[in-house]
Every structure is written in structure tokens, then in C-alpha cells.
């Protein structure tokens, strides 16, 4: 009886192996324009020390911030929308003479205007740019395009070995909703979305 069972297993093993190998797995690709969600402007306010050579009079941060409030009000920005970054401030070597604030906006125009409001004691240190996150609807649309791309590639490959593709056996996608940071070095770069699809070969 044991010999019979072993014999049957040996006979069926090649069949299972053929079924598993009779597939083709292709990675499909879809592209989408990256849309910007918001800009976070990081600003440094620093005490001014009197300097006769450069004709700079001494001013405290509170004075400078007050002057800056009035200056940006003229371009339609309310300082009440600024948030003090105390956590970043305590890590700075100039903690006792410098204050850090952030301003969040969806308007590129406002960011440009802020760079035009130059004042001694005020420095825009950097601007963080965040892209919009993908919604489930966005991801589903990208999945559909990527699956079609995989299907087109699989058909070409299958034809080269005198085969045809059949039903989809498996779909794998690892893309999440977030785009993370916008790549300012490549502003025209498209977001790439990948889906791995396994087809049955006929």
C-alpha cells in the first residue's frame, strides 16, 4: 500500500510542477502627474546686534517680529497663521537669540511674495514641499492602467514563445497612498505606480 501511494505521488508531482510553471509574471507600470498639496516655509528671526560699519541698529526679536507682521500684512499674509517651532529652536546653538517659525500655505504665489519681503534679522531658511496623497480612487485607476500595461507586455512575450496569455492568476501591488516629498530637482518627474501581474499561459 505504501509503495502504491509513493508511486502515485511521483506520477502527480510533474503535473503540479507544469501547472505552476505554465504562467508568466510581468510588472506593469502607470504614470501620474504629481500635484503639490502644500508648502511649509521655515523662517528664522534673530536678534540684531548693532554694527556701525554696516549701519545696523540693535533690535530684539520681538521688535523684528512686530515689524515683519506689518510687512507681510501688506501682501495679504496674517502672522497669526505662523506657528513657532520651539522643538527645533531648542536644538539650535543660537537658542537664546533666535526664534523659528513655520508658515503653511497651498499658494505658490504667497511663497514667492514672502521671499520678496527681505528684512535684516529675518531669513527664510528652507521651504518644504509636500505632494498630494493618492486616494483609493486614484490608486484603483493607476492599478487598472498598470494591469493593462502588464497585459500588453505579457502578450508580446508570450507570442515570442508561441503562447497566448489566459486568465490573470495573481495581482500584487505595493504602492501606498503617500507621495512623500515633491522632488524639486525634477519638477516634471511623473509619479510611477507598479503592479505585478501573473497570467496563465495557454
Amino acid at each position: 500500500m505504501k509503495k502504491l501511494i509513493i508511486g502515485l505521488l511521483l506520477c502527480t508531482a510533474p503535473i503540479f510542477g507544469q501547472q505552476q510553471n505554465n504562467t508568466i509574471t510581468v510588472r506593469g507600470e502607470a504614470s501620474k502627474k504629481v500635484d503639490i498639496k502644500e508648502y511649509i516655509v521655515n523662517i528664522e528671526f534673530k536678534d540684531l546686534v548693532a554694527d556701525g560699519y554696516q549701519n545696523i541698529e540693535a533690535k530684539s526679536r520681538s521688535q523684528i517680529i512686530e515689524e515683519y507682521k506689518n510687512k507681510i500684512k501688506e501682501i495679504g499674509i496674517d502672522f497669526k497663521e505662523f506657528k513657532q517651532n520651539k522643538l527645533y529652536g531648542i536644538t539650535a546653538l543660537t537658542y537664546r537669540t533666535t526664534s523659528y517659525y513655520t508658515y503653511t500655505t497651498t499658494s505658490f504665489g504667497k511663497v514667492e511674495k514672502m521671499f520678496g519681503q527681505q528684512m535684516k534679522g529675518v531669513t527664510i531658511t528652507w521651504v518644504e514641499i509636500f505632494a498630494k496623497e493618492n486616494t483609493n480612487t486614484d490608486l484603483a485607476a493607476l492599478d487598472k492602467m498598470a494591469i493593462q500595461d502588464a497585459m500588453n507586455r505579457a502578450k508580446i512575450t508570450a507570442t515570442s514563445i508561441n503562447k497566448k496569455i489566459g486568465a490573470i492568476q495573481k495581482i500584487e501591488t505595493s504602492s501606498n497612498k503617500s507621495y512623500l516629498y515633491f522632488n524639486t530637482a525634477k519638477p516634471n518627474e511623473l509619479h510611477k505606480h507598479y503592479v505585478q501581474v501573473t497570467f496563465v499561459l495557454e
Side-chain angles (χ1 to χ4, degrees):
M1 185 66 178
K2 287 183 179 179
K3 290 182 179 179
L4 179 61
I5 293 171
I6 292 170
L8 286 171
L9 288 172
L10 289 172
C11 290
T12 56
I15 297 173
F16 285 122
Q18 287 173 4
Q19 288 177 342
Q20 289 174 349
N21 293 329
N22 199 30
T23 60
I24 181 172
T25 300
V26 180
R27 188 170 77 158
E29 179 184 303
S31 300
K32 181 186 177 184
K33 180 180 177 292
V34 179
D35 296 315
I36 295 173
K37 176 187 176 184
E38 63 186 13
Y39 307 87
I40 299 180
V41 184
N42 294 267
I43 304 177
E44 174 188 273
F45 294 95
K46 191 173 183 179
D47 289 344
L48 280 180
V49 179
D51 186 336
Y53 180 73
Q54 295 187 47
N55 197 26
I56 296 174
E57 61 177 298
K59 285 184 182 179
S60 66
R61 276 170 291 167
S62 58
Q63 287 178 294
I64 292 169
I65 289 173
E66 199 59 37
E67 289 180 16
Y68 189 72
K69 282 181 185 179
N70 297 328
K71 197 172 182 66
I72 61 172
K73 189 177 181 180
E74 297 174 2
I75 58 172
I77 297 175
D78 191 344
F79 193 80
K80 289 179 181 178
E81 297 175 21
F82 284 55
K83 293 181 181 178
Q84 189 171 5
N85 189 346
K86 292 183 178 180
L87 288 177
Y88 183 79
I90 62 174
T91 64
L93 296 174
T94 55
Y95 171 67
R96 294 185 181 278
T97 58
T98 308
S99 294
Y100 299 91
Y101 283 78
T102 60
Y103 172 70
T104 303
T105 179
T106 58
S107 169
F108 178 74
K110 284 188 176 181
V111 176
E112 274 192 311
K113 287 179 180 179
M114 287 180 70
F115 273 99
Q117 309 307 304
Q118 296 183 6
M119 274 183 58
K120 291 189 183 300
V122 182
T123 305
I124 295 177
T125 52
W126 78 94
V127 179
E128 297 173 272
I129 304 175
F130 291 90
K132 287 182 180 178
E133 292 183 344
N134 284 315
T135 63
N136 287 332
T137 302
D138 293 331
L139 289 174
L142 289 168
D143 283 341
K144 186 177 180 180
M145 288 188 285
I147 290 169
Q148 184 60 56
D149 180 60
M151 188 176 291
N152 294 339
R153 292 179 60 191
K155 283 179 180 177
I156 295 170
T157 304
T159 301
S160 68
I161 56 173
N162 298 316
K163 293 276 189 178
K164 292 182 179 180
I165 62 168
I168 293 175
Q169 189 180 72
K170 187 179 181 182
I171 297 174
E172 291 182 26
T173 177
S174 58
S175 297
N176 56 26
K177 292 183 180 181
S178 177
Y179 279 145
L180 300 178
Y181 285 100
F182 178 79
N183 188 352
T184 54
K186 298 178 180 179
N188 298 316
E189 184 178 39
L190 297 175
H191 169 71
K192 298 293 184 179
H193 181 85
Y194 300 100
V195 172
Q196 189 165 286
V197 188
T198 299
F199 299 91
V200 174
L201 282 175
E202 298 176 344

